[in-house]
Amino acid sequence: MEPVASNSLEEAIIKLRSTESQIMDLGEAVFSADNGNMFPVDLLAIAAMKRTSGNTEGFITLIEAKNMAAARSLLRIQIDTFLRFSATWLVERPHDFATDVIGGKQIRNLKDRNGKKMNDGYLVDVLSPEYPWLKDVYKNLCGYVHFSGSHLSNAVQSLSDNERTVTFHIGKEDIHYPEWSWTEAVDCFTNAINILFYYINGWIQTKSGVDKANNQIQPTPKNGAAD
């Protein structure tokens, strides 16, 4: 899967908005696969798509309002969405896993087929060979979700070594970021959505196959679909 890379912020936002119709198409495919029969993994897919739909609208609003700190927090949340949905492919009994999650169990306390607890760090390690950018981006974004030094850095407007001064900006807009930084954030959000779509497509293909009702799912979707 080639990552999205836009030439301008306007182009990046157009690409991100195009995912809205794709969510609707995927939702229709999830509901219609296997003559409309529903399984526990379907419910996880529906939850992931609903969360993504709301996150996308909120993220675009924050980007247009020039609120980088809040936008990066929401980007981290969207990455969390595909990370945790991808855990479905790592467990021995996916429908039991989905039922546990729906019932309120924390994914970080559940184990994959090798007995490893699937906390976020472990899921990042599993997916990083496929998405080399993921580990560094995830680590950097965590500083925006949890109150940390990242928020102070975000408040610094300028530094002067000669005058030994620091200028802070505590208004709602983040005015010191160049356009490429905003474009990069939007493209990253679109990439996070596309990875989720990759896995949802894999589930749709599995659901349409012979293993959908037997608590089985293909371990890795290939070319956007389960083998």
Side-chain angles (χ1 to χ4, degrees), residues 122-163:
Y122 177 68
L123 295 175
V124 168
D125 287 340
V126 169
L127 292 185
S128 287
E130 184 72 21
Y131 308 105
W133 55 268
L134 177 58
K135 185 170 290 189
D136 286 342
V137 169
Y138 178 87
K139 180 180 178 180
N140 291 335
L141 291 176
C142 283
Y144 286 89
V145 173
H146 309 290
F147 184 61
S148 69
S150 296
H151 295 96
L152 176 59
S153 298
N154 199 66
V156 175
Q157 183 172 341
S158 64
L159 295 168
S160 174
D161 291 333
N162 293 332
E163 298 179 6

Side-chain angles (χ1 to χ4, degrees), residues 21-90:
S21 62
Q22 295 177 61
I23 291 176
M24 297 299 104
D25 291 341
L26 280 175
E28 182 178 351
V30 166
F31 283 114
S32 61
D34 192 43
N35 297 315
N37 290 319
M38 296 293 288
F39 304 92
V41 174
D42 284 311
L43 302 182
L44 285 190
I46 291 167
M49 287 187 289
K50 172 59 177 174
R51 189 189 203 197
T52 296
S53 182
N55 285 351
T56 301
E57 187 62 29
F59 181 79
I60 291 173
T61 299
L62 291 170
I63 291 294
E64 292 177 340
K66 296 300 182 183
N67 189 333
M68 181 66 86
R72 285 178 171 172
S73 297
L74 201 50
L75 172 56
R76 166 63 178 77
I77 290 172
Q78 186 57 38
I79 289 175
D80 168 271
T81 307
F82 80 73
L83 276 179
R84 297 190 178 197
F85 186 71
S86 75
T88 310
W89 274 257
L90 302 179

Side-chain angles (χ1 to χ4, degrees), residues 4-16 183 186-187:
V4 171
S6 303
N7 295 316
S8 68
L9 178 57
E10 180 182 9
E11 178 186 336
I13 291 176
I14 289 172
K15 290 177 181 177
L16 179 53
T183 302
V186 176
D187 281 343

Side-chain angles (χ1 to χ4, degrees), residues 79-129:
I79 289 175
D80 168 271
T81 307
F82 80 73
L83 276 179
R84 297 190 178 197
F85 186 71
S86 75
T88 310
W89 274 257
L90 302 179
V91 298
E92 190 67 33
R93 300 179 65 81
H95 294 310
D96 289 352
F97 165 78
T99 299
D100 285 341
V101 175
I102 294 164
K105 291 186 178 180
Q106 296 292 318
I107 293 175
R108 67 174 179 267
N109 294 326
L110 300 176
K111 296 180 180 180
D112 70 4
R113 63 173 62 89
N114 297 315
K116 301 288 188 179
K117 283 190 175 182
M118 296 184 294
N119 57 53
D120 288 350
Y122 177 68
L123 295 175
V124 168
D125 287 340
V126 169
L127 292 185
S128 287

